[in-house]
Amino acid sequence: MDGAERRRWLILRGASLVVVVTAWMFVRFRRRCLTRPPITYAPMSAREEQRQNNLNYIYQADDTRCVDLLRMKRAPFFQLCDLLRTRELLKDTMHCNVEEQVAIFLHVVGHNQRFRVINLSFRRSFETISRHFQEVLYAVGELRQEMIQLPSTVVHPKIVGSHRWNPYFKDCIGAIDGTHVLARVPRSIRAAFLGRKHTTTQNVLAAVDFDLRFTYILAGWEGSAHDALILNDALEREDGLRVPPSKFYLVDAGYVVRPGFLPPYRATRYHLREFGARVPQIPKELFNLRHSSLRTTVERAFGALQNRFRILDNKPFHPYKTQVKLDLACCILHNWILRFGE
């Protein structure tokens, strides 16, 4: 046997040995699988049953309970879930469908609950809740273009049907104001976020129409920033605030007079409580009184928003970038509820 034949013989012998060893290991593995006792999933099945009962209690029972827990009725809730699923912004997973993901998010923002509390209600791990929360936050933010739009330029029925405002405010399309939302920031930048009440806040600028819908939102500014500075930033942005020609917004005395923005007269009584039992004595006081009564729209919108989503009225447990996104997401959900019913 020469060298080439011997080398070929050794290769065949080695290959045969590998095949025999592999077959022996496979047979041994199969025997172990057949003799191993089956894994029982009874504890997980009980946990899954508890989870389904809890979810049915939240959004399958009645509208009252759904509003209490998720801040909206069942119809707009399921419409929102169907929209996010249709656009593939959210997907059903093997163990968690879109409805449960959205319910987790709404439960957090509606009641300012921590993930460690939510995982007891939904029987989910901390990581699963955190992941779905971020996914739903991103998905809701993708609805910004269609849910936060410029108001109509048609004279609003609220103005047309009132002798106090028509025709003086017939070209008014809404009101603008800023609100301070409690914020949690690192200690290194805390001084810039200290607001008037010596708490860390972010100053959120919003434009609201007379149906209490948000038509523009700019979040993320420090609590110490002046409203006029934030308005300038909103106007200079490429996708910022735009005022239709010959229309205007109502603003408070903290803003300067400029085209498209109408503040009240300064050094003149403004709010109704300042008049007491008296009536306006001069035209400027009458104008300020009617200006104030119409501009309360934006204050009512802020009140409804913060009452519906308690995460905006308490210090959140999220990084600051997430807090800014939550302001926008809550305004989008607020408009969604007003459009499709509470």
Side-chain angles (χ1 to χ4, degrees):
M1 181 181 296
D2 58 7
E5 292 180 352
R6 181 176 179 81
R7 199 163 39 250
R8 189 182 309 111
W9 179 79
L10 291 175
I11 293 175
L12 292 175
R13 183 179 179 183
S16 302
L17 182 61
V18 170
V19 171
V20 172
V21 172
T22 303
W24 176 78
M25 292 180 64
F26 176 76
V27 171
R28 186 177 179 183
F29 175 76
R30 289 291 299 172
R31 287 179 178 176
R32 291 183 60 184
C33 291
L34 294 175
T35 57
R36 181 183 303 170
I39 300 176
T40 59
Y41 294 94
M44 185 61 69
S45 298
R47 184 178 182 181
E48 183 67 24
E49 183 178 355
Q50 292 176 357
R51 181 186 301 115
Q52 290 301 323
N53 292 336
N54 184 48
L55 293 175
N56 291 334
Y57 177 83
I58 292 175
Y59 54 74
Q60 294 285 7
D62 53 60
D63 286 333
T64 301
R65 187 172 296 126
C66 194
V67 170
D68 290 341
L69 298 177
L70 303 182
R71 318 313 296 159
M72 65 177 71
K73 292 182 179 179
R74 290 179 298 171
F77 171 76
F78 286 112
Q79 286 177 328
L80 177 62
C81 295
D82 291 341
L83 178 66
L84 297 178
R85 180 185 287 110
T86 302
R87 298 188 179 180
E88 297 185 351
L89 296 173
L90 292 177
K91 295 182 179 179
D92 296 318
T93 65
M94 183 180 298
H95 302 291
C96 187
N97 57 22
V98 172
E99 284 75 14
E100 183 177 355
Q101 298 173 31
V102 177
I104 290 174
F105 178 82
L106 293 177
H107 207 83
V108 172
V109 300
H111 305 278
N112 192 34
Q113 293 282 6
R114 305 193 69 168
F115 294 162
R116 291 183 177 86
V117 178
I118 294 297
N119 69 350
L120 298 176
S121 303
F122 289 87
R123 305 296 195 275
R124 295 293 184 186
S125 67
F126 182 87
E127 185 277 332
T128 300
I129 292 177
S130 177
R131 173 163 43 85
H132 288 318
F133 178 85
Q134 294 295 334
E135 291 173 351
V136 177
L137 177 61
Y138 170 81
V140 173
E142 290 296 297
L143 304 179
R144 175 175 184 172
Q145 297 298 328
E146 59 187 280
M147 295 308 303
I148 299 183
Q149 299 178 344
L150 285 174
S152 173
T153 56
V154 179
V155 182
H156 195 274
K158 180 178 181 179
I159 296 178
V160 174
S162 174
H163 68 277
R164 293 186 299 164
W165 301 318
N166 188 29
Y168 319 109
F169 297 99
K170 63 182 180 62
D171 292 325
C172 181
I173 57 175
I176 291 179
D177 199 3
T179 186
H180 288 263
V181 178
L182 291 177
R184 188 183 299 272
V185 297
R187 186 181 297 273
S188 58
I189 59 175
R190 184 175 183 273
F193 286 82
L194 287 176
R196 297 186 300 268
K197 299 182 179 179
H198 304 290
T199 57
T200 53
T201 62
Q202 58 167 312
N203 198 340
V204 180
L205 177 74
V208 179
D209 64 13
F210 297 113
D211 292 321
L212 303 185
R213 292 188 176 92
F214 290 92
T215 59
Y216 181 79
I217 183 77
L218 177 59
W221 272 86
E222 302 90 339
S224 60
H226 194 275
D227 292 343
L229 177 62
I230 303 176
L231 179 60
N232 290 333
D233 179 45
L235 295 173
E236 293 173 358
R237 290 173 177 258
E238 184 178 352
D239 57 345
L241 179 65
R242 298 293 179 265
V243 184
S246 71
K247 300 296 180 179
F248 64 88
Y249 284 99
L250 297 179
V251 295
D252 61 21
Y255 300 91
V256 298
V257 181
R258 61 169 69 185
F261 303 93
L262 181 63
Y265 286 103
R266 289 182 171 83
T268 305
R269 290 186 301 173
Y270 182 62
H271 291 288
L272 182 61
R273 62 176 178 270
E274 298 177 1
F275 290 89
R278 296 176 54 193
V279 296
Q281 301 297 318
I282 58 177
K284 288 185 179 181
E285 289 186 352
L286 179 61
F287 174 83
N288 278 10
L289 177 61
R290 294 181 176 179
H291 185 286
S292 172
S293 61
L294 188 58
R295 200 188 64 84
T296 54
T297 300
V298 66
E299 298 175 359
R300 291 169 54 207
F302 281 139
L305 180 71
Q306 293 179 346
N307 285 333
R308 178 174 284 125
F309 302 109
R310 301 302 299 173
I311 198 170
L312 301 180
D313 200 33
N314 296 273
K315 276 198 173 182
F317 308 102
H318 308 278
Y320 185 69
K321 290 185 177 180
T322 302
Q323 298 174 40
V324 176
K325 295 178 182 178
L326 283 170
D327 296 333
L328 175 61
C330 290
C331 292
I332 293 174
L333 292 173
H334 173 87
N335 287 0
W336 179 273
I337 293 171
L338 292 183
R339 176 181 296 186
F340 295 101
E342 297 185 0

